[in-house]
Amino acid sequence: MANDDLGRTLRRLRRLASLTQEELAERSDVSVDVIRQLEQRRKHSARLPTLHALANGLGVELTTLLGDPPAVSSTGENDGPRFVAVRRAIMPALWGPAPEPPGPDFSLTGLREQIADGWTQYHAAEFDKVMTALPELISDARTATASTDDEDRRGGFAALGKALQLAGHVAVRMGKTDLALISLERAIDAAGLSSDPLLRPMIVNSVAWTYQRQGRLGDALSIALHAADDIRDRGHTGTADGLKVWGALTMSAATSAARSNDYKRAAALMENAETEAARVTKLPEGSDSRMVSVFSPSSVRVERVRLAVQYGHPEDALALAKGMRLAKDVPPSWRTWLLLDVARAHTDLGDAAGAVKALESLRRAAPAWMQHHTLAVAIVRDLWALPNHPPGLRSLAEFLGVGE
């Protein structure tokens, strides 16, 4: 689990910055009472806008304040061999040999299928499987870019872009946002040499997500809006795939606006996204959904639940989530995000039993994913600090390493 809890990390970073609690409150525009409650461990979590404000006041990335994901035990050269191999695949040695053209047994279609399977495993939080497969996927994609056939070469660059995008997502989950940006920037370069006009904006959306994790909310908002406008200007929203990419970027922009406390702008963006999401099912079906951004009426509803929690309106979040049925093409990870937000909403309302019920569902659905999410640990810590523990909480606390 994370090396330290939020309160201790906040106190340590504040002292390193030579700031009093009052000075940090003034810098971050967060009340000194909230800072004291966190540092005294009377509160173990806070709304994301508050966390972003504190990180900005401290002059650190959000990931520094939150700590490593629970299942990440180390950083740097002490990383496990699987992740070391992924890092080397993203950044091969300088002046190494150029890739050789693929042999007669190579199948670009087969490679794309393997990359799509990797995305499925990622959304199921099977990170070890993804890391095991990624080095070879990236290597095979680089081989494909050396094809003597122009169409296959462009297809190889498209495959390389998706493989490096996947590597970037895995790096974020491992708490390595700088490495993620390196991978995503190289993915964008590959996308520019492919024939897929939607690949670059899809990767830009991943960059925006990484910027959010680093607390660069203004940058995340700007690039998401720019890419979304570019897709619309180029007429791509008339296809199912193009509309999905536009919608994902618009929802990403809404998230950045909400975390910056610009709720009015976030609500307007989400209203636009919800209107457009209704068109997705009316358009001819696009390509493999595993290789395209997630956008549908279901994903919009999930995002609205998330934003309601961030706004501090837990009642609205639970009302939106009640009875929700996700479409078949919504990845399992979206269900896990929904359950986590429902748990957060119950916690904010003081309903410990409801929070535990949602967390138990989350553990059944995606135990590995749960261990990689610092917010799940923070919620369990908040519940553990209560005088009365509801049934099931001790098991969750032991699973996440929280408690006595």
Side-chain angles (χ1 to χ4, degrees), residues 15 30 41 58 71 75 79 106-107 143 154 171 183 189 191 220 224 235 259 312-313 322 327 360 371 375 392:
R15 289 175 174 174
V30 173
R41 304 176 71 196
L58 291 165
T75 57
D79 289 323
F106 175 78
S107 170
T143 296
R154 289 182 177 275
S183 191
D189 289 341
R259 292 179 183 179
H313 299 305
K322 186 176 181 180
E360 287 177 330
Q371 287 186 306
L375 182 55

Side-chain angles (χ1 to χ4, degrees), residues 68-81:
D68 287 334
V72 177
S73 60
S74 60
T75 57
E77 292 305 314
N78 291 324
D79 289 323

Side-chain angles (χ1 to χ4, degrees), residues 153-170:
R153 185 168 59 254
R154 289 182 177 275
F157 277 113
L160 180 59
K162 288 302 294 184
L164 287 171
Q165 183 190 18
L166 178 57
H169 277 240
V170 170

Side-chain angles (χ1 to χ4, degrees), residues 27 86 126 132 138-139 230 249 254 264 277 280 285 310 360-361 372 389:
R27 280 194 181 192
V86 172
E126 296 175 352
T132 298
I138 294 172
S139 176
D230 188 60
L249 285 161
K264 184 177 181 180
V280 172
E285 190 172 343
Q310 292 177 14
E360 287 177 330
S361 296
H372 279 83
H389 294 166

Side-chain angles (χ1 to χ4, degrees), residues 104-175:
D105 295 333
F106 175 78
S107 170
L108 183 58
T109 301
L111 175 60
R112 286 183 57 83
E113 182 66 24
Q114 288 177 310
I115 294 172
D117 287 343
W119 280 101
T120 298
Q121 291 167 345
Y122 168 80
H123 285 298
E126 296 175 352
F127 300 120
D128 280 345
K129 289 184 179 179
V130 179
M131 285 191 286
T132 298
L134 264 173
E136 186 174 349
L137 291 179
I138 294 172
S139 176
D140 287 349
R142 286 201 172 103
T143 296
T145 64
S147 174
T148 56
D149 180 84
D150 185 63
E151 183 177 349
D152 286 347
R153 185 168 59 254
R154 289 182 177 275
F157 277 113
L160 180 59
K162 288 302 294 184
L164 287 171
Q165 183 190 18
L166 178 57
H169 277 240
V170 170
V172 170
R173 288 296 175 201
M174 296 297 106

Side-chain angles (χ1 to χ4, degrees), residues 189-225:
D189 289 341
L193 296 170
S194 77
S195 55
D196 184 353
L198 297 177
L199 182 53
R200 185 177 185 276
M202 278 193 281
I203 300 168
V204 167
N205 198 19
S206 298
V207 174
W209 175 55
T210 309
Y211 282 168
Q212 288 174 3
R213 296 293 291 253
Q214 291 188 331
R216 297 170 59 179
L217 298 176
D219 293 335
L221 175 65
S222 176
I223 65 170
L225 289 176

